[in-house]
Amino acid sequence: MVATLLVFVMHLGFASLEAGLTRAKNTVNILFKNTLIPAIGLLTYAFIGFNLMYPGEAFEGGFIGLGGLGISLPEAWNTSSYNEGYTFYTDFIFQAMFAATAATIVSGAVAERIKLGPFLFFSVLYVGICYPIVGMWKWGGGFLDTLDTPFYDFAGSTIVHSVGGWGALVGAFLLGPRIGKYTASGMRAIPGHSIPLATIGVFLLWFGWFGFNGGSVLSADPGEVSLVFVTTAIAGAAGAFGALFTAYLKFKTYDITMVLNGILAGLVGITAGADLMGIGEAAIIGFIGGILVVLGVVFFDKIKIDDPVGAISVHLIGGIWGTLAVGFFGDLASFQQVISQLIGIGVVGAFCFLTSWIMFFSLKRSIGIRVDEREEVEGLDINEHSMQAYPDFASKD
Amino acid sequence: MVATLLVFVMHLGFASLEAGLTRAKNTVNILFKNTLIPAIGLLTYAFIGFNLMYPGEAFEGGFIGLGGLGISLPEAWNTSSYNEGYTFYTDFIFQAMFAATAATIVSGAVAERIKLGPFLFFSVLYVGICYPIVGMWKWGGGFLDTLDTPFYDFAGSTIVHSVGGWGALVGAFLLGPRIGKYTASGMRAIPGHSIPLATIGVFLLWFGWFGFNGGSVLSADPGEVSLVFVTTAIAGAAGAFGALFTAYLKFKTYDITMVLNGILAGLVGITAGADLMGIGEAAIIGFIGGILVVLGVVFFDKIKIDDPVGAISVHLIGGIWGTLAVGFFGDLASFQQVISQLIGIGVVGAFCFLTSWIMFFSLKRSIGIRVDEREEVEGLDINEHSMQAYPDFASKD
Amino acid sequence: MVATLLVFVMHLGFASLEAGLTRAKNTVNILFKNTLIPAIGLLTYAFIGFNLMYPGEAFEGGFIGLGGLGISLPEAWNTSSYNEGYTFYTDFIFQAMFAATAATIVSGAVAERIKLGPFLFFSVLYVGICYPIVGMWKWGGGFLDTLDTPFYDFAGSTIVHSVGGWGALVGAFLLGPRIGKYTASGMRAIPGHSIPLATIGVFLLWFGWFGFNGGSVLSADPGEVSLVFVTTAIAGAAGAFGALFTAYLKFKTYDITMVLNGILAGLVGITAGADLMGIGEAAIIGFIGGILVVLGVVFFDKIKIDDPVGAISVHLIGGIWGTLAVGFFGDLASFQQVISQLIGIGVVGAFCFLTSWIMFFSLKRSIGIRVDEREEVEGLDINEHSMQAYPDFASKD
Amino acid sequence: MKKIEAIIRTSKFEEIHQCIAGLGVKFFTFYEVKGMGMEHPKPQTYRGVAYEPAYIPRTKIEIVTADEHVDEIIQCILSQGRTGEVGDGKIFVYEALSAYRIRNNDTGEIAL
Amino acid sequence: MKKIEAIIRTSKFEEIHQCIAGLGVKFFTFYEVKGMGMEHPKPQTYRGVAYEPAYIPRTKIEIVTADEHVDEIIQCILSQGRTGEVGDGKIFVYEALSAYRIRNNDTGEIAL
Amino acid sequence: MKKIEAIIRTSKFEEIHQCIAGLGVKFFTFYEVKGMGMEHPKPQTYRGVAYEPAYIPRTKIEIVTADEHVDEIIQCILSQGRTGEVGDGKIFVYEALSAYRIRNNDTGEIAL
Ligand SMILES: Nc1ncnc2c1ncn2[C@@H]1O[C@H](COP(=O)(O)OP(=O)(O)O)[C@@H](O)[C@H]1O
Ligand SMILES: Nc1ncnc2c1ncn2[C@@H]1O[C@H](COP(=O)(O)OP(=O)(O)O)[C@@H](O)[C@H]1O
Ligand SMILES: Nc1ncnc2c1ncn2[C@@H]1O[C@H](COP(=O)(O)OP(=O)(O)O)[C@@H](O)[C@H]1O
């Protein structure tokens, strides 16, 4: 149950990180979205998500199933006979806290230019429907779980992070870059407005990740939970160094935002196999995650997909890497497993890419997804919220 | 015991929220008060509060009782025979962390104009004496607990939040509004200086609330604790939307400060009956809480009671609503229960109103409670603390 | 295991506090260091530290021992037979989180003028080697633990905080004061740039301290853990008042930075004997800690050792006081114990002073430890990181 | 055409603004400046070290106006900006050679 | 020697900068100011209370230049600074008596 | 009466302040400005993208003073503000027509 709270804190972590890495004139907007997202996640999950994700035995091995609307209590819900050491509600609330994560990831990548309404609309559908459907494939006993060599994703490198990452990729692509990011005379930097806020965000995310991974043990077995804690801690630490070295080699600066992204990439990377790895393997996975995230940021900038916070690199690239790593390292490593992992990555990717494309594209064609140019230049805070994040301070832009 | 820590974090939540919703020139003052308040709470509660609140069986059904000064250990204090799964000290520290909450609530409503000394003096008395007396009426086995249909207040919608709310109301009224808030030409906005700080505050409060409510189960029964987690999460989420919709209908803006207040009002609302409600009922209670808080802010502005952070609306209105809701929804709903709830609300309200009036009024007549005009205009930080919160930044006012 | 997470949060607390109490132009630098330090701590501890600290029975009573490199799992590591209620990994990760604390303490005292590279180099060695050697003396069954009256240091007033404090003293001394701090015309104030950040930091540290101390019970005995929680809470609260009164008497201002330091000094003070004290004793120890920290700040300013955040006063003076207090108060109080405590303080002090002197001095003579004057005046952020912490705001300096 | 620069107490800005708006002067520019003068800034203390911040925050108003309005604007500032205590600030007047309205190339007094 | 002061839309700074750089004017000073004028600031709302911030943020550019460059610089600002909507700002010109380069005591136009 | 405007290195403010205080000049106004000039701002990097911030932060000092003090003040600034490297800044002098002390309506040089 503590794990549930830690996952809750991650939403604050995301809110802080994304606010810190964007400009002061869009801060209210980012915080507004990231405050509503967990609320949306909790409510939609209660209404429909939980049943979509865990439809029950009738749908075992299937693609989609719905066990009813709302929450209907099983018998003996309040005793731990429901699941060793866990009650029905413990299970529900832990899963519900997870749910909103996918939308938070998208929020970072589309920041500073997306319209509020369409984004919230997308979030409701993505969190309420797409995420639980994907989740069901593996965690709800769906077909990915019943492969010969079952697809393995311990706490959601693919099921959670890549789902968010694909949505982020599609959203950032369909929106186009922020004004002034890629100009005729080359790429321009748009620095985030508060490094302390971003740092607080990453520490809180790391903190929450212990719950994210630790809680996914879904039992209070101290042996396994402690192992997961260790791999989570080591992978994050190694990710910091992976990103630090790569960024230094490429840019010749000690870039704290890259170190922060590297920590997250290390964490996303270990998420799929947190219970399968030893210390050394966790360090390698984290370190490579940290390298990949820096290369990812450079790559997406090169193809002019503008992701202000690096969400695609962290969650999509990190998620794919972590999922594959289960096939290469640790207790399940085998060629068969690599294939299963690739199937999982591919199927989930195709589904998420498609559904988020459909949603963003039809929103774009109908009500539009991007604020108009003047609003973007003046800032979303003034225009969408008639507010300022820091009214007492003299700020630029 | 984890719950204790979560309640501790709430003090940081209050500090951040109140600092964020007030001006930069009063930030040191707010933080100073909110740093001392938990210290005051812990020390007075150890010295006298705990005994006032839990005077022992001799005072059962009574109005006031004192079981001695300081902390005297019962036998077998360090084993769980003291209380199923709980030691004496666990009980003490959990209650002690609660204690200071009432003063923190007041602190927000009287912010930006109250003198430091009188406020701290008030806090010591209110936290050290008034709060435990009220607490004893219900939780210490006092007369509210021995009504025919006992007054029900699970984790303190009335016993904690309204107690703070009444003090806040009286304090804000006797102080009068901040200079420039209600002028001849109409009401003026005095925006809070940091929305990120306020957002961090609310997330931390929500986080802590799981401990506040979850810990009030006073046993580690996983069934009940998990239910309480779910209702707490859902009520907060519904509160966000209740406030969002109401604020949008009334003001046509997406006001993040109202969403933040709405979350808190939802949480205050569910606090009295967190263990009695299902998901649907929690959602309704939270949603209505969110509506009420917006109406409350508008109402208090209309009658010119100036509450910079909305503390009265959140804690007093939310607290009354939550306490009543126990009579309308959930396992205890009955007409009799409504009456008992009304009795509780009324008695506690009368007592708190009276005692805080007496205290604030005699302070006002003797040493004065309000800083002088020039100090208020220049800011309390410079005048009461000879310091600035952000000396490196160019700030207005 | 929850305790582990709390200790993790302390690193965020340190990062926030140190960033808040230094200038905006050095914020990225401070955050960069404090983000890498826990990563360094985790990795070095996994590689070598844990074995240095707990070399096994073969080295009982010794000065230094090494049980191998890397982590080798004992049998039955994943069951609680390893240690009542604890697995091997639980133990490792808890200790690993502790490890980096010593370097974080140093980081605060040498802030705003030390070069990044040499500092990180120092940190790796200090955390990777010096800290575990000292830790082994007591916690790894070394000679301090096998004295006739064993040296007692419950959670590390000496073993953790003084270790950091000595390094901080040596570092700050060898670096010299920040430019402009002690001028011909007297001492000048260099205010920290964000009091809210500093306040958040101290609350998070206090929060984490419950894990630091509570987790050091090394068993889930609810009686002892709850006692430790109470003493930790009370000592922090009393420290706040100790510092408040002292600062008011000396400076005639309500200085929040001193109150924050006072809380920390109270916490450092209780750390050595958190399980031995009652409420009253905890209050006295904390209160005196709060007094000492203010006197310490004044003293180090007088002898021109420039410690921007008060780390030496908090951790070294507080640590010595707390360690001594075990001899004066509580269950072990005796003359013999005072002697043992003095031995422990002296031996650890001598070792840390020497090793950190050697390291800092040889770094100073070889690659240099201080940034050049222009870099210091312009800020480390621009010069070492080519970045600004708050690029959207107009800031001084 | 003259340029009036007034360095005023930030707290008096609103009154002065009202007064000159009453004269029909709707256009001006202002910004925060730091002043050294006879008034001394409130001493601050940080960790036991008292210090005087080097300056007092003030607001500077700049109004370019036709010669005939100069006196009445100055009267407004003098009357509304005064507390009588040290630190009320100063007004300076300068000659302006020409003025342009960027929106439509208006030149001269019509552009003010 | 003249001093040109232009109060412009902050969003037009970049275009104007390019244009005057094209004239070979590499030296100038600018800062953020607040303007009162015909354009009204966007109303804001805080907790249900709508309010107009008292001003519009603008940028002020100061260029001291030899007499012969004044006109072309003004043309730059007029052409690049215009949106045609209320609020484009103003340009004022003043006489400057002398100029010094601190680095090497250069005086007069050579110091510009 | 003259107005001296000096754009200086922020780091030289203290020295210049001391020097002119030594001349008995206790009143002046200053504020932060941004400068374009021959010195180039230190390049920054953010997530792999190097960029030059568009300007250098500088401090502008404004002193209105009687004609006879102008030269000595300028000497102070020239001597104390110099590092000899590109970017030391400039001093400009303008004519001021009149001055008023808001506190007591003093006018002319007595108001300075
Ligand atoms: N000669 C001057 N040149 C530039 N600014 C001045 C001058 N004299 C005064 N000021 C500005 O006016 C402000 C008020 O001056 P002060 O002497 O404190 O007021 P008073 O004359 O009312 O006592 C100063 O802080 C400074 O900013
Ligand atoms: N006479 C003046 N003196 C000083 N500043 C002025 C004056 N007139 C205009 N300004 C400045 O120019 C800005 C733009 O003026 P505005 O009247 O809105 O533009 P426009 O004339 O294009 O409609 C104002 O906000 C103000 O800062
Ligand atoms: N003609 C000018 N008009 C306005 N400001 C100027 C002018 N020339 C220089 N400045 C200001 O002076 C600063 C220093 O100029 P710079 O050319 O770098 O110094 P230096 O001449 O010592 O090399 C510039 O950043 C700018 O703010």
Side-chain angles (χ1 to χ4, degrees):
Chain A
M1 264 175 294
V2 171
T4 307
L5 305 185
L6 297 176
V7 177
F8 178 76
V9 170
M10 292 180 75
H11 291 294
L12 175 55
F14 277 117
S16 303
L17 171 63
E18 294 178 11
L21 291 185
T22 51
R23 285 167 292 178
K25 65 183 175 186
N26 298 319
T27 303
V28 170
N29 184 259
I30 286 278
L31 294 172
F32 191 87
K33 289 189 287 194
N34 282 303
T35 305
L36 284 187
I37 285 171
I40 290 175
L42 286 165
L43 296 176
T44 60
Y45 206 71
F47 183 64
I48 180 165
F50 193 57
N51 287 301
L52 269 177
M53 191 145 163
Y54 299 94
E57 291 172 15
F59 299 90
E60 199 160 292
F63 273 82
I64 179 164
L66 183 59
L69 282 188
I71 292 295
S72 50
L73 287 176
E75 275 177 62
W77 61 270
N78 63 343
T79 70
S80 23
S81 71
Y82 169 72
N83 182 333
E84 221 187 309
Y86 276 75
T87 67
F88 175 76
Y89 270 137
T90 308
D91 198 27
F92 162 72
I93 191 75
F94 182 65
Q95 303 295 343
M97 291 290 182
F98 256 68
T101 310
T104 321
I105 293 168
V106 179
S107 145
V110 300
E112 307 205 84
R113 58 209 193 278
I114 201 168
K115 273 192 200 166
L116 185 62
F119 175 76
L120 291 179
F121 187 75
F122 169 83
S123 297
V124 169
L125 293 185
Y126 208 59
V127 165
I129 299 185
C130 299
Y131 166 74
I133 290 178
V134 171
M136 179 268 174
W137 294 349
K138 166 68 193 165
W139 293 337
F143 72 98
L144 285 177
D145 202 36
T146 51
L147 292 180
D148 282 347
T149 311
F151 171 68
Y152 194 83
D153 189 0
F154 174 62
S157 282
T158 287
I159 302 298
V160 178
H161 293 283
S162 294
V163 170
W166 288 110
L169 177 65
V170 170
F173 176 74
L174 286 178
L175 272 170
R178 289 168 293 172
I179 294 170
K181 173 77 190 179
Y182 309 110
T183 62
S185 57
M187 193 157 48
R188 290 220 330 245
I190 305 183
H193 86 281
S194 174
I195 300 298
L197 205 49
T199 308
I200 289 178
V202 168
F203 268 95
L204 291 179
L205 282 166
W206 197 348
F207 178 61
W209 225 288
F210 289 107
F212 195 84
N213 285 354
S216 294
V217 172
L218 289 182
S219 82
D221 170 20
E224 202 171 339
V225 174
S226 63
L227 168 64
V228 167
F229 272 28
V230 171
T231 53
T232 305
I234 294 289
F241 281 97
L244 173 60
F245 292 143
T246 316
Y248 187 74
L249 289 179
K250 285 193 79 84
F251 319 137
K252 298 278 165 288
T253 57
Y254 303 105
D255 188 329
I256 188 170
T257 68
M258 286 301 187
V259 171
L260 297 176
N261 275 176
I263 291 172
L264 297 183
L267 293 170
V268 172
I270 199 65
T271 296
D275 60 338
L276 306 173
M277 308 296 162
I279 288 186
E281 288 145 337
I284 295 170
I285 292 174
F287 194 83
I288 295 179
I291 296 174
L292 289 176
V293 81
V294 177
L295 302 181
V297 167
V298 172
F299 171 74
F300 286 115
D301 263 346
K302 195 163 285 164
I303 62 170
K304 298 195 178 162
I305 290 185
D306 182 19
D307 173 2
V309 307
I312 309 176
S313 305
V314 167
H315 299 280
L316 182 55
I317 300 197
I320 291 175
W321 159 243
T323 309
L324 274 180
V326 169
F328 297 134
F329 302 99
D331 301 353
L332 293 182
S334 73
F335 182 69
Q336 255 323 105
Q337 190 67 43
V338 174
I339 302 298
S340 290
Q341 300 301 94
L342 283 172
I343 294 175
I345 293 167
V347 175
V348 170
F351 177 79
C352 291
F353 190 88
L354 216 75
T355 50
S356 53
W357 185 283
I358 292 172
M359 283 191 275
F360 272 128
F361 195 75
S362 37
L363 286 169
K364 184 172 176 173
R365 281 294 148 103
S366 51
I367 51 177
I369 50 179
R370 186 156 178 158
V371 299
D372 68 37
E373 192 180 318
R374 224 189 49 144
E375 288 185 8
E376 187 175 335
V377 170
E378 291 177 1
L380 303 183
D381 290 2
I382 287 292
N383 285 291
E384 299 232 354
H385 302 272
S386 328
M387 270 195 151
Q388 286 170 273
Y390 303 97
D392 284 5
F393 296 100
S395 69
K396 282 181 227 167
D397 281 328
Chain B
M1 264 174 296
V2 172
T4 307
L5 303 185
L6 296 176
V7 177
F8 177 77
V9 169
M10 292 179 75
H11 292 293
L12 174 56
F14 277 117
S16 303
L17 172 63
E18 294 178 11
L21 291 185
T22 51
R23 285 166 293 178
K25 65 183 175 187
N26 298 320
T27 302
V28 170
N29 185 259
I30 287 277
L31 293 172
F32 191 87
K33 288 189 288 193
N34 282 302
T35 304
L36 284 186
I37 285 171
I40 291 176
L42 286 164
L43 296 176
T44 61
Y45 206 73
F47 183 64
I48 181 167
F50 193 57
N51 287 302
L52 268 177
M53 191 143 162
Y54 299 95
E57 290 172 16
F59 299 91
E60 199 161 295
F63 274 81
I64 179 165
L66 183 58
L69 282 187
I71 292 295
S72 50
L73 287 177
E75 277 177 59
W77 60 271
N78 62 345
T79 70
S80 22
S81 72
Y82 169 73
N83 183 336
E84 220 187 308
Y86 275 76
T87 66
F88 175 77
Y89 270 137
T90 308
D91 197 26
F92 162 73
I93 191 77
F94 181 65
Q95 303 296 342
M97 290 290 183
F98 256 67
T101 311
T104 320
I105 293 168
V106 179
S107 144
V110 301
E112 309 205 80
R113 58 208 193 279
I114 201 167
K115 274 192 201 165
L116 185 63
F119 174 76
L120 291 179
F121 187 75
F122 169 83
S123 297
V124 169
L125 293 184
Y126 208 59
V127 164
I129 300 184
C130 298
Y131 165 75
I133 290 179
V134 169
M136 178 267 175
W137 293 350
K138 166 66 194 168
W139 294 337
F143 72 99
L144 284 177
D145 201 38
T146 52
L147 292 180
D148 283 347
T149 310
F151 171 70
Y152 194 84
D153 189 0
F154 174 63
S157 282
T158 288
I159 302 298
V160 178
H161 292 284
S162 294
V163 169
W166 289 110
L169 178 65
V170 169
F173 176 73
L174 286 177
L175 272 171
R178 288 168 293 171
I179 293 171
K181 172 79 189 180
Y182 309 110
T183 62
S185 57
M187 191 158 49
R188 289 219 332 244
I190 305 182
H193 86 280
S194 174
I195 300 298
L197 205 48
T199 308
I200 289 177
V202 167
F203 267 95
L204 292 178
L205 282 166
W206 198 347
F207 177 62
W209 226 286
F210 289 106
F212 195 83
N213 285 353
S216 294
V217 172
L218 289 182
S219 81
D221 170 19
E224 204 172 337
V225 174
S226 64
L227 169 64
V228 167
F229 271 28
V230 171
T231 53
T232 303
I234 294 288
F241 280 97
L244 172 61
F245 292 143
T246 315
Y248 187 75
L249 289 178
K250 286 191 79 82
F251 318 135
K252 298 278 164 290
T253 56
Y254 303 106
D255 188 330
I256 189 170
T257 69
M258 285 301 186
V259 170
L260 297 175
N261 274 177
I263 291 172
L264 297 182
L267 293 170
V268 173
I270 200 64
T271 296
D275 60 338
L276 305 173
M277 308 297 162
I279 287 186
E281 288 146 336
I284 295 170
I285 292 174
F287 194 83
I288 295 179
I291 295 174
L292 290 175
V293 81
V294 177
L295 302 179
V297 167
V298 172
F299 170 76
F300 287 114
D301 263 347
K302 195 163 284 163
I303 63 172
K304 297 193 177 160
I305 290 185
D306 182 20
D307 174 2
V309 306
I312 310 176
S313 305
V314 167
H315 299 278
L316 183 54
I317 300 197
I320 292 177
W321 159 242
T323 311
L324 275 179
V326 169
F328 296 136
F329 302 99
D331 301 354
L332 292 181
S334 75
F335 182 68
Q336 255 322 108
Q337 190 67 43
V338 174
I339 301 298
S340 290
Q341 299 301 93
L342 283 172
I343 294 176
I345 294 168
V347 174
V348 171
F351 177 80
C352 292
F353 190 87
L354 216 75
T355 50
S356 52
W357 186 283
I358 292 171
M359 283 192 275
F360 272 127
F361 195 75
S362 37
L363 286 169
K364 183 173 177 172
R365 281 294 148 102
S366 51
I367 51 177
I369 51 179
R370 186 156 178 157
V371 298
D372 68 37
E373 193 181 316
R374 222 189 49 145
E375 289 185 7
E376 186 174 336
V377 170
E378 292 178 358
L380 304 183
D381 289 1
I382 287 293
N383 285 291
E384 299 233 353
H385 302 273
S386 326
M387 269 195 152
Q388 286 171 274
Y390 303 99
D392 284 4
F393 297 101
S395 70
K396 281 181 227 166
D397 280 327
Chain C
M1 265 175 293
V2 171
T4 307
L5 304 185
L6 296 175
V7 177
F8 178 76
V9 170
M10 292 180 74
H11 291 293
L12 175 55
F14 277 116
S16 302
L17 172 63
E18 294 177 11
L21 290 185
T22 50
R23 286 166 292 178
K25 66 183 175 186
N26 298 320
T27 303
V28 170
N29 184 259
I30 285 278
L31 293 172
F32 191 88
K33 288 189 286 194
N34 282 301
T35 304
L36 284 187
I37 286 171
I40 290 175
L42 286 164
L43 296 176
T44 60
Y45 206 71
F47 183 64
I48 180 164
F50 193 58
N51 286 304
L52 269 177
M53 191 144 163
Y54 299 95
E57 290 172 15
F59 300 89
E60 200 160 293
F63 273 82
I64 179 163
L66 182 59
L69 281 188
I71 292 296
S72 50
L73 287 177
E75 274 178 62
W77 59 272
N78 63 343
T79 70
S80 23
S81 73
Y82 170 72
N83 181 336
E84 220 187 309
Y86 276 75
T87 67
F88 175 76
Y89 270 137
T90 308
D91 197 26
F92 163 71
I93 191 76
F94 182 65
Q95 303 295 344
M97 292 290 182
F98 256 68
T101 311
T104 320
I105 293 168
V106 179
S107 143
V110 300
E112 307 205 80
R113 58 207 192 280
I114 201 169
K115 273 193 202 165
L116 185 62
F119 175 77
L120 291 180
F121 187 75
F122 169 83
S123 296
V124 169
L125 294 185
Y126 208 58
V127 165
I129 299 183
C130 298
Y131 166 75
I133 291 178
V134 170
M136 178 267 175
W137 294 350
K138 167 65 195 166
W139 293 337
F143 73 98
L144 285 176
D145 201 37
T146 52
L147 292 181
D148 282 348
T149 311
F151 171 68
Y152 193 83
D153 189 359
F154 173 63
S157 281
T158 288
I159 302 298
V160 178
H161 293 284
S162 294
V163 169
W166 288 110
L169 178 65
V170 171
F173 176 74
L174 286 178
L175 271 171
R178 288 168 292 171
I179 294 171
K181 172 79 189 179
Y182 310 110
T183 62
S185 57
M187 192 158 49
R188 289 217 335 241
I190 305 184
H193 86 281
S194 174
I195 300 298
L197 205 50
T199 308
I200 288 177
V202 167
F203 268 95
L204 291 179
L205 282 166
W206 198 347
F207 177 63
W209 226 287
F210 288 107
F212 195 84
N213 284 354
S216 295
V217 172
L218 287 183
S219 81
D221 170 19
E224 201 170 339
V225 174
S226 63
L227 169 64
V228 167
F229 272 27
V230 171
T231 53
T232 304
I234 294 288
F241 281 96
L244 173 61
F245 292 142
T246 316
Y248 187 74
L249 290 179
K250 286 193 79 83
F251 318 135
K252 297 279 165 286
T253 56
Y254 304 106
D255 187 331
I256 188 169
T257 68
M258 285 302 187
V259 171
L260 296 175
N261 274 176
I263 290 172
L264 296 183
L267 293 170
V268 173
I270 200 64
T271 295
D275 61 337
L276 306 173
M277 307 297 162
I279 288 185
E281 288 146 337
I284 295 171
I285 292 174
F287 194 83
I288 296 179
I291 296 175
L292 289 176
V293 81
V294 177
L295 302 180
V297 167
V298 173
F299 170 75
F300 287 114
D301 262 348
K302 196 162 286 163
I303 63 172
K304 299 195 176 159
I305 290 186
D306 182 18
D307 174 2
V309 306
I312 309 175
S313 305
V314 167
H315 299 279
L316 182 54
I317 300 199
I320 292 175
W321 160 241
T323 310
L324 275 180
V326 168
F328 296 136
F329 302 100
D331 301 353
L332 293 181
S334 74
F335 182 68
Q336 256 323 107
Q337 189 68 43
V338 173
I339 302 298
S340 291
Q341 300 301 95
L342 283 172
I343 294 176
I345 294 168
V347 174
V348 171
F351 177 78
C352 293
F353 190 87
L354 217 74
T355 50
S356 51
W357 186 284
I358 293 172
M359 283 192 275
F360 272 127
F361 195 74
S362 37
L363 286 168
K364 184 173 176 172
R365 281 294 148 102
S366 49
I367 51 177
I369 51 178
R370 187 157 177 157
V371 298
D372 68 38
E373 191 180 318
R374 222 188 51 142
E375 287 185 8
E376 186 174 337
V377 170
E378 292 178 358
L380 304 183
D381 290 1
I382 288 292
N383 286 291
E384 299 234 352
H385 302 272
S386 326
M387 268 196 153
Q388 285 171 274
Y390 304 98
D392 285 4
F393 297 101
S395 70
K396 281 181 230 166
D397 281 328
Chain D
M1 223 164 8
K2 297 280 182 298
K3 180 195 198 190
I4 303 171
E5 286 190 358
I7 292 136
I8 59 165
R9 287 186 191 275
T10 303
S11 57
K12 288 288 180 188
F13 176 78
E14 205 46 52
E15 277 104 324
I16 293 172
H17 175 30
Q18 297 300 337
C19 180
I20 59 175
L23 301 176
V25 177
K26 299 220 185 79
F27 305 92
F28 64 93
T29 304
F30 66 102
Y31 46 97
E32 316 303 331
V33 298
K34 299 162 184 178
M36 295 289 191
M38 258 152 52
E39 195 192 16
H40 282 280
K42 204 169 284 278
Q44 301 192 18
T45 319
Y46 179 76
R47 298 176 76 71
V49 186
Y51 67 107
E52 273 197 9
Y55 58 86
I56 299 232
R58 300 210 177 278
T59 295
K60 180 169 164 192
I61 300 182
E62 297 186 353
I63 311 174
V64 180
T65 187
D67 293 3
E68 63 262 34
H69 298 305
V70 171
D71 281 342
E72 53 189 25
I73 293 176
I74 289 179
Q75 282 317 317
C76 262
I77 302 175
L78 287 176
S79 63
Q80 299 302 318
R82 180 172 309 156
T83 66
E85 281 174 49
V86 159
D88 280 349
K90 304 280 167 74
I91 308 172
F92 304 112
V93 183
Y94 310 90
E95 186 69 33
L97 302 179
S98 52
Y100 303 78
R101 166 174 282 126
I102 298 175
R103 171 159 51 97
N104 57 9
N105 285 10
D106 274 355
T107 315
E109 299 209 348
I110 199 179
L112 296 180
Chain E
M1 223 163 8
K2 297 281 182 296
K3 179 194 198 191
I4 302 171
E5 286 190 359
I7 292 134
I8 59 165
R9 289 185 191 276
T10 304
S11 56
K12 289 287 179 187
F13 176 78
E14 206 46 52
E15 277 104 326
I16 293 171
H17 175 30
Q18 297 300 339
C19 179
I20 58 176
L23 301 175
V25 177
K26 299 220 185 79
F27 306 90
F28 64 93
T29 304
F30 66 103
Y31 46 98
E32 316 304 331
V33 298
K34 299 162 185 178
M36 295 288 190
M38 258 153 50
E39 195 192 14
H40 283 281
K42 204 169 283 277
Q44 301 192 18
T45 317
Y46 180 75
R47 297 176 76 70
V49 185
Y51 67 106
E52 273 197 8
Y55 58 84
I56 300 232
R58 301 212 176 276
T59 296
K60 181 171 162 190
I61 301 183
E62 297 187 354
I63 311 173
V64 180
T65 188
D67 293 4
E68 62 262 35
H69 297 304
V70 170
D71 280 342
E72 52 189 24
I73 294 177
I74 289 180
Q75 282 317 317
C76 263
I77 303 176
L78 287 176
S79 62
Q80 298 302 318
R82 181 172 308 157
T83 67
E85 280 174 50
V86 159
D88 279 350
K90 304 281 168 73
I91 307 172
F92 304 112
V93 183
Y94 311 90
E95 186 68 34
L97 302 179
S98 51
Y100 303 79
R101 165 173 283 127
I102 298 176
R103 172 158 49 99
N104 57 9
N105 285 9
D106 274 354
T107 316
E109 299 210 346
I110 199 180
L112 297 180
Chain F
M1 223 165 10
K2 296 281 183 297
K3 180 195 199 190
I4 302 171
E5 286 190 359
I7 292 135
I8 59 165
R9 288 186 192 274
T10 304
S11 56
K12 288 289 180 188
F13 176 78
E14 205 46 53
E15 275 105 325
I16 294 172
H17 175 30
Q18 297 300 339
C19 180
I20 60 176
L23 302 175
V25 177
K26 298 219 186 81
F27 306 90
F28 64 92
T29 304
F30 65 102
Y31 45 98
E32 316 303 331
V33 298
K34 299 161 185 178
M36 295 289 192
M38 257 152 52
E39 195 191 16
H40 283 280
K42 204 171 282 277
Q44 301 192 18
T45 317
Y46 180 75
R47 298 176 76 69
V49 186
Y51 67 108
E52 273 199 9
Y55 58 85
I56 299 231
R58 300 213 175 276
T59 296
K60 181 170 164 191
I61 300 183
E62 298 186 353
I63 310 173
V64 180
T65 188
D67 293 2
E68 62 263 34
H69 297 304
V70 171
D71 280 343
E72 52 188 26
I73 294 177
I74 288 178
Q75 283 316 318
C76 263
I77 303 176
L78 287 176
S79 63
Q80 299 302 317
R82 180 171 310 156
T83 66
E85 280 173 50
V86 158
D88 280 349
K90 304 281 167 74
I91 308 172
F92 304 113
V93 183
Y94 311 90
E95 185 69 34
L97 302 179
S98 52
Y100 303 79
R101 166 174 282 127
I102 298 175
R103 171 158 52 97
N104 57 10
N105 285 10
D106 273 355
T107 315
E109 299 209 347
I110 198 180
L112 296 180

